[in-house]
Each structure stands twice: as structure tokens, then as C-alpha cells.
Amino acid sequence: MLLTRGPCSKPRSCSAAQRDDSKVKKRDAPALCDLRLCKDGPIRNGHIGQRPPPINPERLKDFVEEDYLNGDVKTWEMKIVSRNEELLGDALSLVPQSSSRISLSSHNKLIRFEDISAAAFKIQSGVQKTPCMYSRLSKLYGVDIYLKKEFLQYTGSVKERGVLYLLTSLPQDQQRKGVIVASDGNFSMAVAYHASELRIPVFVIMSTSTSPARVKTCREYGAMVISYGTTAKDSQMHARRLAQENGYLYLEEEDSAVYLSGLGTMGLEMYEQVPKLDAVIFPAGGHCGLLAGSAAALKHLNPRISVIGVESESFPVLQQSLKAGHPAEDQACNNHHFYGDVSGLCFGSNSLQLTGKLVDKVVAVSEEDVLISMLRLLEYERATVDAEGAIGLAALVAGKLPELKGKRVAIAICSGNVDLHLLQRCIARALTLESRVCRFSLVISDSPADVSKLLEVLAREEARVLDIRQERTFVTSELFTVEVTCTVETRDKIHTAQLRNALLERYPTAAWTER
């Protein structure tokens, strides 16, 4: 039983109560699933009932009173709001419970700092407070770099923050009926896990081209996964049909105030964890909810902090949308498996409006910069991340932000869900781009002595041989010669240049394979 203490606990006149009611607006009581979530805390990473550190009180500038009753927070807001500025809880109450699809975009309002603070209180027992640590990469780029390791969330993505707040804000009747989502990205995995933790029936529709690893992961999180259609559009149509027929709530990643407020809690944590921040870098692209929500929190706390978004130069969706003043619809990406959620279309005007108002700069980077950034994070931080997680650091790798030299900068590493076969290809390509893996071919006499002399040269130059092949048939040289092709690994570009000069001095006809 939840005890409450309200402003009418003592007898008083009706006129006094009416005056108080006009000033004080009480928030809705949390749902039953919220009580279960906040009471003991779910089992996370082997720790039963462990709570993350409490939220710092300086966030509560606009809150007057907090009562901790049975682990729940009850707040009153002493701020007069205009008629067209609705509270987050009021917007949620307008969603009809009988609808088969959630239409949060119709209730889009620019989020306020109070909304993000409320989200932080509500989800603090359900998501990790990930570290924001000083990085060894700082010396490499001349910037004090702090990495917000959001890929350490249970599902490996920052999307957990928005999804958990979205699910706990649903009406109890809809929570009993269940939710359905059609996606193969981080959003669907976050929905699968947190809906199962909240005992909400959850269905995930994935196309047949989805990697088996992602299908397996969603099933292990507790979702009912159905493979349907060859494209994402087919899966979405099937999910909507199932939602309409069975009363499920169709969820998709939109820029609703609820979802953005949950994502914006990461900005609060970064501000708390790194004092005297000069700039913060986030991934951008079409799905810029993290950028918009976190910018709202950071700019409220310190307007002097520079907020920067980074997207791919192959499809600069956000830059085009900001220039046009509305979400771009004709920008397509043919490399979705690499870029993931960053490659999506701009999904709403709310995020776009917040970005245009609060974000100081948006830069674009190349695919090569993202690959090298993935390699840097793996080598220096032992962090296995995907393109979405590495694209923020790529702006420093590409030298697109020279004004940050000597500044204190936090970078959001927000996703670590990369398939193993894709990771192998990305790291191999990055090593090649840095000239740390190179290949050359030369023609020598077909005798063990000449092959031995070649290996002696490579050993003297301290090059590591990765592969060596000999071709005797498909060659145009003399009969008793052999074409030898070697793949070697070096320390860096300088070492590669030294090896190349040594081989050309001994074998003038040696040919190097250019990348």
C-alpha cells in the first residue's frame, strides 16, 4: 500500500485549498510496475538489488519537496506554466489506451529541464550510471578527452534510457496487453530487455536478413521474436497489423518528449561526472534524439558548454534538415549494416527544433575516420564499439574540431553492438588505412635460398609476416622464377616506409599493392 502525504493533510477552508490547487500541480502516482522496479532494483550484472549512486540535489532547482516513501519519489512543482506548455505527465494521459499504436509525435513539446530530471529519478534503478573517464587518447590528439562509456549498459546502448522511461510511462492497461516493435537495431533490443524486466509482453518483428546473433540476443532478453519479410518495411507493416488485431502497442523510435527526456539523462550524468566541461560531442545523423535531449540538459546547467554533433559525410541528414528547416526525406543510406541507427532518416521536427536551437555545431566525417576511431578505441580503451559509438571520436581523428585543442571535452560512446564478422572486417580495413598492414609482390629465383634471403630482409626490418604465397603458373616471367606475394604488419607509417625502401634497394622490381 502506498502512503501519500499531500497538501490537504490538515483541515482548512475550501478557499485556501483552491488557492493552493491553482499553484501546486501534483504529478501522477507511479504505476505498479514502477514500484516493483524502484523498490529493490532489478538484477543487473550479477548484483541483486544494487542501486546506482543517488542523483545530486542541485538538479532540483525547480522542485520544492521530495518524500521518499517505500523507495518512491513524490514531487511537487512550484512553477506557474502557461496554458500551451503541458507537463509531461499530462501529455501521457492524453494517449488513448485502446489505440493499437502509440502516437507520441502528436504530443511533441519541447522538453524542459524538469522533464529530464523527472526521467532521471524514475529510471535510476533500471539503468547503469556508466563511467565518464579520462582517456589515454588525450595525449594523442592534444585534447583532455573524457569518454562516457554508455556501451556498458546491459544491452550495450544508450537507448535503454529513453526506452525504460517510455515503458514505465505507459498506462497499466496497455502494459498488461503488451507492446510490439519492428526493428533490428538498439531500440528493439532495449525494448525487449526492459519490457521483459517490467513483465510487459513484448514482440519483436525482424526481417529475414537480420543477423542470427541479433535474433538470438533479443530472444535471450525475453522477447518473442518473429522473422518476417525481406526488408524493414515488410516487418513494420506486419507489426502494425499484429498490433491492430491483438491490441498490442506498436512502438517505434520517435522524438516524443518522453523518449527524449529519457535520453537526456545522459547529459545530466556527464555534467555531474566531469567538472568544468568545455564541450561535449554526440553522434548525430537522422536519429538525433540523444543529441537533442542531452543538449537540453547541458545548456540548462551551463549555457557556455559547446554541444557538437557528428554525422557521416556520405548522408548528412541532419545538416540538410537544419538547412531546409524541416526533416529531410530523400536522403538514403546504402550502408545501414555499418552505420546502424546513425544512418536513419530524420524522424521528427521536435528533435530538429531542439538541435537547431541548442546545438552549436554539426560536423561530418568520412567512413575511413570512423574505422580508425573504432581501432583507436579498441587499442587504447579496450572498447569494442560500432560505428555509432565511434563516430564522436572520429571528429577528433579527422581534425574537424581544431578549436578544441587544450580544452576539456566529453565524448559519448553510446553503442557497442557490432557483429563479430563486421568487427573483423572493420579492424582489418582500419589497419590497412593506417599502412600498418601492407602487401607487396616480387619475382625471385625459384629456389629455397632466395626465399630465405627475402625472409631475412623482413626479419631484419622487424616486419611481421601475416601471409606469404608463391605463384609459378600464372606468371609472365621466366620459367624458373616464382612470384612471391607477402602480407606484412608494421608498427606505423614510418616503419612501413623504411621497409619499403629496404625492399626496393634489394629488389628494384618489387610492386606494392596500394589500398
Side-chain angles (χ1 to χ4, degrees), residues 193-204:
Y193 172 67
H194 283 288
S196 299
E197 287 291 299
L198 296 172
R199 302 186 182 277
I200 300 175
V202 54
F203 303 86
V204 178

Side-chain angles (χ1 to χ4, degrees), residues 146-198:
Y146 291 81
L147 300 179
K148 179 63 172 172
K149 300 183 178 181
E150 201 67 14
F151 63 92
L152 296 178
Q153 295 289 353
Y154 192 87
T155 64
S157 168
V158 69
K159 301 294 177 68
E160 286 193 28
R161 296 176 179 270
V163 165
L164 179 57
Y165 191 44
L166 179 63
L167 291 175
T168 55
S169 301
L170 295 178
Q172 296 182 26
D173 180 59
Q174 189 59 60
Q175 291 182 8
R176 287 191 294 268
K177 292 180 180 179
V179 297
I180 188 169
V181 61
S183 169
D184 61 352
N186 294 330
F187 182 77
S188 64
M189 289 193 288
V191 172
Y193 172 67
H194 283 288
S196 299
E197 287 291 299
L198 296 172

Side-chain angles (χ1 to χ4, degrees), residues 37-38 51 54-57 59-60 63 66 68 71-75 114-126 165 265 268:
L37 178 66
C38 301
R51 289 179 178 272
I55 304 299
N56 288 349
R59 292 185 186 174
L60 302 174
F63 290 97
E66 314 89 37
Y68 289 84
D72 298 308
V73 179
K74 184 171 59 176
T75 62
E114 294 90 334
D115 301 330
I116 301 174
S117 296
F121 276 112
K122 200 166 188 177
I123 70 173
Q124 62 178 336
S125 296
Y165 191 44
T265 58
L268 290 179

